[in-house]
Amino acid sequence: MMSRGRMILTSLPGRIEMDPTSKYCCYTWETLSKCLNELVDEGLVKEDDIDSFNLPLYTPHEEEVRKIIDVEGSFTIGKLETLQMNHSDPRDGSYFGSDENAIGKKFAKLRRALTEPLLASHFGDHIIDNLFSKFAKHMSKKSLLEDIKVSPVMISLIKK
């Protein structure tokens, strides 16, 4: 990249709180894990396969992103913005809306799009439909979604 060239990164998954174990960044992944464990209980997945599976994911806070860019040193930040969206509150114009079943199905489609290749290669294609059907049902429980917020990060970087 040329000096003073620009790069834009959009929709990096981020978190609202500094605590990397907060419910805002972990809840949907914990729910997916719960669904995988249900498949173990049903005999469709081996427990050893669960134990050997790793999903390399980290959702940084805005300040962590700033620090990493600064320490790495190749870029300056032109602009960095985060959005805060509540998945289940239709007043904020979120993608997910307010219908509980629709919320669960949309969450399932989103997570499936992000993880299906990794899950299928590790556990096999035969579990995918069942897994995400379970996931949609769990995510449809409105009481569980009331406070789930996401904070995507958008960054404009300038090459030094």
Side-chain angles (χ1 to χ4, degrees):
M1 180 180 273
M2 295 176 50
S3 179
R4 301 197 40 83
R6 295 181 183 259
M7 177 170 44
I8 296 176
L9 305 173
T10 61
S11 295
L12 297 172
R15 67 176 189 278
I16 294 168
E17 297 180 4
M18 283 298 288
D19 178 7
T21 63
S22 74
K23 68 180 177 181
Y24 296 119
C25 66
C26 302
Y27 178 75
T28 58
W29 299 110
E30 288 172 359
T31 302
L32 187 61
S33 176
K34 181 179 182 178
C35 295
L36 281 166
N37 283 313
E38 288 175 11
L39 294 178
V40 169
D41 294 341
E42 295 170 12
L44 300 172
V45 171
K46 295 177 185 171
E47 192 166 351
D48 288 344
D49 287 342
I50 297 284
D51 293 340
S52 66
F53 182 67
N54 181 34
L55 184 61
L57 176 74
Y58 183 75
T59 54
H61 184 271
E62 173 184 348
E63 291 306 314
E64 290 174 299
V65 173
R66 288 181 187 280
K67 184 177 179 181
I68 289 167
I69 292 167
D70 185 50
V71 169
E72 194 281 329
S74 298
F75 295 90
T76 58
I77 297 173
K79 190 169 191 172
L80 187 150
E81 289 187 15
T82 60
L83 301 174
Q84 291 188 13
M85 302 181 314
N86 182 332
H87 285 320
S88 60
D89 185 353
R91 294 169 296 176
D92 74 0
S94 78
Y95 164 75
F96 291 93
S98 60
D99 176 86
E100 293 176 15
N101 289 325
I103 291 169
K105 288 177 183 176
K106 287 179 182 177
F107 261 108
K109 285 180 182 179
L110 177 61
R111 287 297 177 248
R112 187 171 182 161
L114 293 171
T115 61
E116 183 171 3
L118 291 169
L119 292 166
S121 70
H122 190 81
F123 299 105
D125 290 329
H126 66 283
I127 70 153
I128 299 299
D129 289 337
N130 193 357
L131 174 65
F132 286 101
S133 176
K134 289 178 178 297
F135 184 76
K137 287 177 187 171
H138 282 289
M139 295 306 293
S140 292
K141 297 174 183 167
K142 187 170 177 27
S143 63
L144 300 176
L145 293 171
E146 289 173 351
D147 294 325
I148 301 300
K149 295 179 175 67
V150 295
S151 183
V153 180
M154 280 85 42
I155 310 169
S156 169
L157 299 172
I158 304 167
K159 176 77 171 153
K160 287 184 177 178

